[in-house]
Amino acid sequence: MQLLSEQEIERRKDREELMKLGINPYPAEAFPINVTTEDIHRNYENRKNDYKSISIAGRLMSRRIMGSASFGEIQDATGRLQFYVRRDDICEGEDKTLYNTVFKKLLGIGDFLGLKGYIFTTQTGEISLHVTELTVLSKSVKPLPVVKRDEDGNVHDGFTDPEMRYRQRYVDLTVNPEVKKTFITRSRIITQMRRYFDDHGWLEVETPILQAVHGGAAARPFDTHHNTLDMPLFLRIANELYLKRLIVGGFDGVYEFGKMFRNEGMDRTHNPEFTSMEIYVAYKDYIWMMEMVEELIEQVTEKIHGKTKITVGNNEIEFAGPYRRLTMYDSIKEYAGIDVSKMDEDGLRKVCAEMGIETDATMGKGKLVDEIFGEKVEANLIQPTYITDYPIEMTPLAKKHRTEPGLVERFELFVNGKEIANAYTELNDPIDQRERFEDQLKLAERGDDEAMAMDEDFLRALEYGMPPTSGLGIGIDRLTMLLTNNTTIQEVLFFPQMRPEKKQVEMTEEEKGIFELLKAESPVAIADLKGKAGLSGKKWDVAMKGLTGKGVAKVTKEGDSITVSLVD
RNA sequence: GAUUCCGUAGCUCAGCUGGUAGAGCAAUACACUUUUAAUGUAUGGGUCCUGGGUUCGAGCCCCAGCGGGAUCACCA
């Protein structure tokens, strides 16, 4: 409920005027399209004969009106095309209304049009559509920001405010083509990954988002409630334990792209819901998985960019494998100059103190090592690097290392200083797994609120037997950020989480009272409403003026009867 | 959560030391049949985020709140 701006009122009038002229601003009929603007730009020069009778549709994005002929730009899903429209071409005979009134006055930037005609090249060499027929497809009653670009591609009146761009992504996508490109790339990344997995014969599956036990990761969940079962449920923080159940069930390879939900802080790399891809392949280990990930990432990058070396921020990153492999302890040795491999908890705590890393009593050995790693190593890992062999304490779902006691077979892939993938040789010994869960419970008792919960059904599945398996998780949002050169997660999510927009118009007690009466009956005769409101003359007057002033209510006078109605 | 910056026309932004609210684009009107950030002339358009306070006077100063960005902390 908001007062309309001058331009919004103007556009609503244009809509009415179109109707009065017998033109439906929102026609029901489909509009046949036989080409896209992208196709025209790409192929017209070589196949001019194919573009003599074309039909396109899209938004009117700019107009240059000159007397009885005009230029404009129409934007479809693939791009923009200049069009040239002459009064006498679209208005045969004496009636020039379609050009003089409809095109010049009643249409505006943002309106959807259908255009028919033929392609030609202007004197200045721009491929354009010579319009012979113009159809209104949808009238826009809210003015779109007009973003201008000069010959060098400089943007002049950008739609740049992040808040508005994220809240009104539809506008962002309409006026900022590079934003649209990012999301197309995101979709293509997922498509390519899916193709790779399918080509290997692995099965795409779906597992529960509502879970009674939130397992598979260390994070705080969103909780909800099922009414019929009258039980608490959680939005999943991970799907790992369900995918492993499917491996137990006999699938050789299963993968899932899906949203995960974590009830934690938000920043440029964290959104409460995010997309992950998890895959589990039987009879494999994490060495095999490293080779698979290299091939996957290399192929995806090649398909998206046509090459494997791309620029991310200030860095040139080579995505072609093989990637460097470095154990967790070696990486700390290399970048921090300290050998922590033999240290106990007290020793690690001392190292942290020397490095100025804050620690607390809830931190176990694994977490301390991770802190040192995060502080000293992570940011240095620019080119794709596998960090392998993590301390057992921080990884309750991975198998113990085949040769190194105290470690597990796990790797994380780091690129540009950020983690983008995480993988294990999966723990399939049910007795070991139960002990690991019990260790997690001990951590929880120490106050670690992210320690993993015991999942009895998952343990039962393991007891039936799970084949040796390797599993991998990739953060799709982060991979997309990397491959589209974006530094905030909001730029790769269509609708990033936001606080609710603006509160409703505030009303006084008297105004609220009248508003409630109007909700029950509207329109209503003003005398009746005043009677029901039971306010003093003065209060009634002030409240009514308030409501009309806020655009909530409207007073109409027809002859002798005055009625009040709600404005929607 | 902490720190810090920001919120003014449909959009992008000015607004000095507190003194009647400005520009470009967009809109409206007129002119113009190959323009392209079209052009020329004229016109209209404001809850200066909200609520308090100080003051003769607040877009500007003070307090509180709302929303957003950046940095830090936690997490992926």
Side-chain angles (χ1 to χ4, degrees):
Chain A
M1 220 167 310
Q2 208 177 346
L3 294 175
L4 295 176
S5 70
E6 185 189 33
Q7 294 193 41
E8 288 172 305
I9 292 164
E10 182 65 39
R11 282 169 172 265
R12 279 166 168 74
K13 276 189 204 151
D14 292 343
R15 174 184 168 279
E16 299 285 332
E17 289 299 316
L18 284 169
M19 287 173 168
K20 280 184 196 155
L21 288 171
I23 297 171
N24 182 354
Y26 306 98
E29 300 81 25
F31 184 83
I33 294 163
N34 59 18
V35 70
T36 63
T37 60
E38 186 184 40
D39 179 312
I40 292 164
H41 285 298
R42 187 181 299 162
N43 300 317
Y44 170 69
E45 289 295 347
N46 298 322
R47 303 193 343 242
K48 292 194 176 173
N49 285 337
D50 295 346
Y51 295 90
K52 289 187 169 162
S53 178
I54 69 139
S55 176
I56 61 170
R59 266 192 210 271
L60 179 61
M61 294 305 284
S62 72
R63 286 191 303 174
R64 294 181 283 279
I65 291 174
M66 308 171 302
S68 50
S70 302
F71 284 90
E73 282 179 297
I74 191 159
Q75 173 173 294
D76 68 7
T78 62
R80 289 189 187 189
L81 179 71
Q82 174 169 272
F83 65 84
Y84 176 62
V85 57
R86 277 200 312 211
R87 183 187 61 203
D88 297 342
D89 289 337
I90 62 167
C91 305
E92 288 176 21
E94 291 307 304
D95 182 8
K96 304 301 183 191
T97 309
L98 182 60
Y99 181 80
N100 286 340
T101 307
V102 175
F103 178 73
K104 283 169 77 169
K105 310 249 184 248
L106 303 182
L107 294 182
I109 289 171
D111 294 345
F112 282 89
L113 304 177
L115 301 176
K116 292 183 182 175
Y118 56 90
I119 302 298
F120 73 111
T121 307
T122 64
Q123 285 177 0
T124 50
E126 178 150 345
I127 293 171
S128 307
L129 167 66
H130 193 121
V131 176
T132 54
E133 212 179 310
L134 181 153
T135 312
V136 180
L137 297 181
S138 181
K139 176 71 193 165
S140 156
V141 296
K142 209 169 173 63
L144 213 53
V146 176
V147 178
K148 299 218 169 192
R149 275 155 225 272
D150 63 21
E151 280 177 10
D152 305 323
N154 300 314
V155 175
H156 288 273
D157 290 287
F159 179 65
T160 53
D161 180 55
E163 179 170 2
M164 279 199 284
R165 287 185 47 233
Y166 301 152
R167 287 195 197 282
Q168 304 183 38
R169 185 66 94 182
Y170 33 88
V171 176
D172 192 27
L173 289 163
T174 301
V175 304
N176 292 327
E178 59 286 353
V179 170
K180 195 174 196 173
K181 212 175 143 211
T182 293
F183 287 102
I184 292 171
T185 301
R186 180 185 170 114
S187 179
R188 289 180 59 211
I189 289 168
I190 293 170
T191 302
Q192 288 303 332
M193 290 175 72
R194 184 173 277 133
R195 187 163 299 162
Y196 180 92
F197 298 145
D198 289 345
D199 285 348
H200 285 77
W202 300 321
L203 189 72
E204 181 163 17
V205 298
E206 292 175 278
T207 62
I209 289 172
L210 290 172
Q211 302 179 347
V213 179
H214 54 278
R220 292 205 304 273
F222 287 91
D223 49 355
T224 182
H225 184 263
H226 190 280
N227 290 341
T228 302
L229 298 176
D230 189 23
M231 65 182 281
L233 284 173
F234 303 96
L235 268 57
R236 67 180 175 195
I237 57 174
N239 53 356
E240 169 155 2
L241 302 185
Y242 282 95
L243 290 170
K244 285 185 188 172
R245 284 171 169 95
L246 296 178
I247 296 293
V248 169
F251 293 106
D252 267 354
V254 289
Y255 70 93
E256 178 175 18
F257 285 90
K259 283 279 180 76
M260 304 299 153
F261 306 85
R262 298 192 184 174
N263 205 342
E264 290 175 350
M266 294 165 58
D267 62 23
R268 51 168 33 193
T269 55
H270 298 86
N271 194 66
E273 59 182 282
F274 64 100
T275 302
S276 86
M277 191 296 302
E278 297 246 337
I279 181 164
Y280 291 80
V281 183
Y283 313 113
K284 307 294 185 189
D285 63 7
Y286 79 142
I287 308 287
W288 173 88
M289 187 63 87
M290 283 188 244
E291 286 159 12
M292 190 274 260
V293 170
E294 280 162 5
E295 191 177 76
L296 170 71
I297 303 276
E298 179 177 336
Q299 282 189 17
V300 168
T301 310
E302 167 74 33
K303 285 272 174 23
I304 300 297
H305 290 284
K307 56 185 180 183
T308 56
K309 190 169 190 173
I310 63 169
T311 304
V312 179
N314 298 322
N315 299 315
E316 290 281 318
I317 295 180
E318 176 58 78
F319 283 95
Y323 303 153
R324 188 178 182 208
R325 299 178 189 185
L326 198 57
T327 69
M328 168 70 90
Y329 288 151
D330 284 347
S331 74
I332 292 173
K333 215 182 286 176
E334 178 168 331
Y335 291 100
I338 298 172
D339 185 355
V340 297
S341 61
K342 304 286 189 295
M343 287 185 187
D344 58 10
E345 200 173 307
D346 288 340
L348 289 166
R349 216 170 277 280
K350 206 176 287 175
V351 170
C352 285
E354 281 163 16
M355 289 175 175
I357 300 168
E358 281 183 34
T359 58
D360 61 62
T362 69
M363 289 178 174
K365 195 175 155 189
K367 196 135 193 185
L368 292 167
V369 171
D370 195 39
E371 289 290 322
I372 297 168
F373 176 81
E375 176 72 21
K376 293 290 176 185
V377 182
E378 198 168 333
N380 296 306
L381 306 174
I382 303 302
Q383 296 302 319
T385 306
Y386 290 124
I387 297 296
T388 67
D389 302 345
Y390 287 63
I392 191 165
E393 293 83 355
M394 55 198 284
T395 318
L397 301 170
K399 189 176 279 192
K400 282 176 182 153
H401 198 277
R402 58 195 75 185
T403 56
E404 303 295 323
L407 300 181
V408 291
E409 296 203 351
R410 170 186 186 182
F411 73 82
E412 290 188 308
L413 174 61
F414 289 84
V415 185
N416 205 35
K418 307 253 161 50
E419 184 211 324
I420 65 160
N422 181 22
Y424 313 147
T425 301
E426 301 296 339
L427 176 55
N428 60 345
D429 175 348
I431 309 304
D432 189 359
Q433 183 66 78
R434 182 175 291 278
E435 285 168 9
R436 302 274 198 97
F437 276 137
E438 279 161 1
D439 290 343
Q440 288 291 305
L441 292 181
K442 279 178 207 149
L443 284 178
E445 279 161 22
R446 277 172 72 169
D448 186 345
D449 58 358
E450 284 163 355
M452 232 173 264
M454 178 80 71
D455 185 332
E456 287 293 346
D457 176 69
F458 172 67
L459 284 169
R460 178 168 59 193
L462 285 193
E463 284 164 8
Y464 281 107
M466 182 172 88
T469 298
S470 185
L472 164 78
I474 294 182
I476 295 299
D477 310 296
R478 299 216 175 148
L479 180 63
T480 304
M481 286 165 66
L482 201 57
L483 294 181
T484 60
N485 198 11
N486 275 301
T487 52
T488 78
I489 199 168
Q490 291 160 311
E491 293 294 343
V492 301
L493 299 172
F494 274 128
F495 305 106
Q497 192 58 242
M498 292 284 226
R499 284 199 158 84
E501 204 172 351
K502 294 259 168 69
K503 48 300 165 188
Q504 287 288 321
V505 188
E506 303 248 340
M507 286 190 258
T508 64
E509 285 307 311
E510 289 82 8
E511 287 168 9
K512 277 182 200 160
I514 296 172
F515 179 65
E516 289 303 320
L517 290 171
L518 277 170
K519 275 206 293 195
E521 189 187 359
S522 166
V524 59
I526 197 162
D528 292 351
L529 185 63
K530 188 177 176 184
K532 281 182 198 163
L535 296 170
S536 70
K538 175 80 180 168
K539 279 189 172 173
W540 160 259
D541 191 51
V542 169
M544 276 312 293
K545 279 180 178 157
L547 285 172
T548 51
K550 283 166 185 152
V552 174
K554 194 173 65 177
V555 180
T556 12
K557 188 174 177 182
E558 273 176 37
D560 290 339
S561 74
I562 304 174
T563 56
V564 184
S565 54
L566 272 185
V567 178
D568 40 33

